[in-house]
Amino acid sequence: MEIIQKLNILADAAKYDVSCASSGVDRAAKKGKLGNSVSGGICHSFTSDGRCISLLKVLYTNHCKYDCAYCQNRRSNDIPRATFLPEELCELTYNFYLRNYIEGLFLSSGVIKSPDYTSELIYRTVKMLRDQYGFNGYIHVKAIPGTSRSLLERMGRIVDRMSVNIELPSEDSLKLLAPDKKKEDLVSPMKLIRDKIVEREGNAKYIRSTPKFVPGGQSTQMIVGASGDTDMKIVRLTEAMYDKFKLKRVYFSAYIPINSHPLLPAVDTAPPMLREHRLYQADFLLRFYDFKASEILNERNPNFSRYIDPKCQWALLHLDKFPIEVNKASYYELLRVPGIGQRSARRIVQARKYSKLTLEDVKKMGAVVKRARYFITCCGKYDPTLRFNETSIYHGLLKSADVTDNQLSFFHTETPGLFLKEGAV
Ligand code: SF4
């Protein structure tokens, strides 16, 4: 098979992995315009200093001995299959880099023969790229669950990021939909990567030349909507993974129904994009707003609202903490106000040292006042045009919610309504 055919098959097969951000735009070159875009193959990632870099995103092979129900590459699917040779993938990466198409490689794979056999091929490719081709760009490799420790350790010394997909939010879902994968096989590489990163950081304090181990850290991906797991389950697992494995990112991937299976949504079901969006909003609350998963959702409210974002949902369930006075509240109290972000909270805390702030001032600090005004007072005054009660705040927030009917149709739950407070009947 021609290398370009392999590239088409293996780039297309990699498109469902979202753990390195975007892909999917197909745009032909136009006369008088610069550049074009292809849907498969090139995706983007962000470096620690915020730079966006393009990556060649491919599978090493889309042959797979496993039969995960949700996967395009499962062994029971009748699809075109291909496998790169190490030299072919090195040539592609090197030449794309020379032509400035890419700045790095994102490499995942199906499993042929065994996890170790597949990982050894991936290792040989990456090693060849580094040593023989002198490639010094970014490399992100997906670890194959079940790979031996020594092989993962060797891989971790030559790649920038290594990640393992947790795939599904619970062990029960894993047993049903990916019975060949064992929870322990997913978790133990994460533990190993964490331990090696910590060990390296410790040693580097004393010996600066200690070799780096996955300097870009590890991330994971979870499929959302393929199983019946609640948002609460997903958010709690996300928090646990950040805490236990020191992950850089947890990515959520709305399940795109591509296979017929009695336990999966029907093939013509729209992917739950808004649910994925809500999970990213909650992930932001965990990582940057000092929220705990147990505060965001609970047994009485196990799923996100389709109408308002998780921070508004939390605030509505905790009206006893509001309204807060912007001229007195701590930075962390301000962070909990819907519509006030890190930057606006910092600006408010700084500006109020010099004068008392009004609602107009809060707006100038960058806060989204159409949401924040329900939860704050300025110089002791609540917005006189509003009433501070659950029903009117909820309906006011609904009006300001940026949700289209199209997005709403991705959810299959209830019509707008107030939330149940914990312990309420
Ligand atoms: S192991 Fe990976 S590639 Fe193979 S069927 Fe499962 S999800 Fe797909």
Side-chain angles (χ1 to χ4, degrees):
M1 188 186 284
E2 294 283 319
I3 189 167
I4 196 70
Q5 280 173 283
K6 288 189 182 181
L7 178 63
N8 278 334
I9 292 170
L10 294 167
D12 184 69
K15 71 185 175 196
Y16 295 107
D17 198 317
V18 297
S19 57
C20 71
S22 65
S23 184
V25 180
D26 224 338
R27 197 170 45 245
K30 273 189 189 163
K31 200 174 172 194
K33 303 271 182 191
L34 182 67
N36 64 336
S37 170
V38 286
S39 59
I42 311 290
C43 73
H44 299 92
S45 189
F46 293 89
T47 60
S48 52
D49 61 2
R51 234 167 21 97
C52 176
I53 56 172
S54 333
L55 304 177
L56 170 62
K57 176 176 166 183
V58 283
L59 297 191
Y60 185 83
T61 178
N62 67 340
H63 286 276
C64 194
K65 62 185 269 202
Y66 296 148
D67 205 37
C68 306
Y70 48 82
C71 179
Q72 178 192 20
N73 306 313
R74 64 181 184 174
R75 69 165 181 265
S76 55
N77 277 3
D78 182 16
I79 54 168
R81 307 269 178 181
T83 303
F84 281 123
L85 297 172
E87 300 75 18
E88 290 173 334
L89 194 47
C90 289
E91 280 292 322
L92 272 178
T93 310
Y94 183 75
N95 285 310
F96 279 5
Y97 190 83
L98 275 189
R99 292 188 174 94
N100 223 6
Y101 296 167
I102 58 160
E103 290 168 81
L105 173 67
F106 174 93
L107 185 56
S108 185
S109 186
V111 184
I112 31 177
K113 292 193 183 173
S114 71
D116 266 359
Y117 180 84
T118 316
S119 298
E120 190 64 48
L121 287 171
I122 293 174
Y123 176 76
R124 270 175 49 199
T125 307
V126 175
K127 183 94 174 115
M128 185 183 284
L129 195 56
R130 288 283 195 230
D131 293 350
Q132 293 179 27
Y133 287 76
F135 181 75
N136 203 27
Y138 178 87
I139 301 179
H140 178 172
V141 162
K142 275 287 153 89
I144 309 280
T147 300
S148 65
R149 205 181 152 87
S150 64
L151 191 43
L152 289 173
E153 285 184 29
R154 276 191 281 147
M155 189 91 80
R157 285 190 217 108
I158 56 172
V159 300
D160 296 283
R161 177 171 279 194
M162 187 155 58
S163 54
V164 188
N165 283 351
I166 194 81
E167 305 287 15
L168 293 163
S170 68
E171 201 171 353
D172 288 345
S173 311
L174 208 59
K175 277 184 194 150
L176 282 175
L177 299 173
D180 299 308
K181 290 183 177 168
K182 304 283 166 285
K183 184 183 163 205
E184 192 45 35
D185 288 343
L186 303 177
V187 168
S188 57
M190 287 192 198
K191 283 186 193 153
L192 171 83
I193 297 168
R194 174 204 60 197
D195 292 345
K196 285 282 156 194
I197 292 172
V198 170
E199 184 185 306
R200 193 265 162 197
E201 283 168 359
N203 290 342
K205 280 186 197 152
Y206 305 104
I207 311 165
R208 291 183 65 186
S209 59
T210 308
K212 291 197 165 144
F213 192 87
V214 287
Q218 59 171 329
S219 58
T220 194
Q221 171 180 293
M222 216 184 307
I223 300 167
V224 175
S227 58
D229 300 290
T230 61
D231 293 333
M232 179 184 74
K233 176 98 196 161
I234 296 172
V235 173
R236 290 187 178 184
L237 177 62
T238 301
E239 180 183 70
M241 288 195 295
Y242 279 128
D243 289 349
K244 279 193 195 155
F245 305 124
K246 300 196 175 310
L247 297 184
K248 289 281 183 195
R249 284 297 305 273
V250 175
Y251 292 92
F252 307 101
S253 172
Y255 173 63
I256 301 172
I258 38 178
N259 298 328
S260 291
H261 191 282
L263 295 173
L264 288 172
V267 169
D268 54 359
T269 311
M273 302 306 292
L274 182 59
R275 192 174 175 201
E276 178 190 289
H277 178 59
R278 291 277 180 259
L279 286 162
Y280 278 118
Q281 289 174 319
D283 175 77
F284 223 71
L285 295 183
L286 292 177
R287 291 190 298 136
F288 301 113
Y289 285 76
D290 213 29
F291 275 82
K292 297 278 170 252
S294 55
E295 295 177 280
I296 298 174
L297 290 169
N298 55 47
E299 276 76 13
R300 299 289 295 174
N301 298 281
N303 290 303
F304 290 118
S305 164
R306 49 182 171 165
Y307 296 101
I308 57 174
D309 66 61
K311 200 175 179 192
C312 287
Q313 185 171 346
W314 174 84
L316 262 179
L317 288 166
H318 296 85
L319 281 185
D320 54 311
K321 299 188 189 306
F322 298 102
I324 63 158
E325 169 55 48
V326 284
N327 289 292
K328 289 187 185 153
S330 70
Y331 170 75
Y332 289 101
E333 286 171 323
L334 287 170
L335 271 189
R336 298 218 155 200
V337 176
I340 295 185
Q342 286 180 312
R343 189 182 297 175
S344 44
R346 272 198 303 272
R347 285 179 180 161
I348 288 169
V349 170
Q350 193 62 24
R352 71 188 183 189
K353 288 181 189 162
Y354 305 102
S355 65
K356 296 278 182 204
L357 303 180
T358 64
L359 194 60
E360 199 49 39
D361 295 326
V362 172
K363 191 174 180 181
K364 284 183 194 148
M365 308 282 137
V368 183
V369 165
K370 68 179 177 183
R371 288 202 286 280
R373 64 196 185 124
Y374 295 100
F375 302 98
I376 57 173
T377 58
C378 298
C379 304
K381 288 189 200 134
Y382 190 66
D383 186 334
T385 63
L386 305 177
R387 277 182 301 137
F388 186 78
N389 68 54
E390 194 176 349
T391 310
S392 68
I393 294 175
Y394 179 66
H395 288 290
L397 289 172
L398 278 187
K399 275 189 214 148
S400 72
D402 187 17
V403 177
T404 64
D405 285 346
N406 187 32
Q407 280 179 308
L408 294 180
S409 71
F410 293 148
F411 268 80
H412 54 276
T413 50
E414 78 300 326
T415 49
L418 296 180
F419 307 108
L420 288 168
K421 285 196 169 59
E422 201 169 9
V425 181

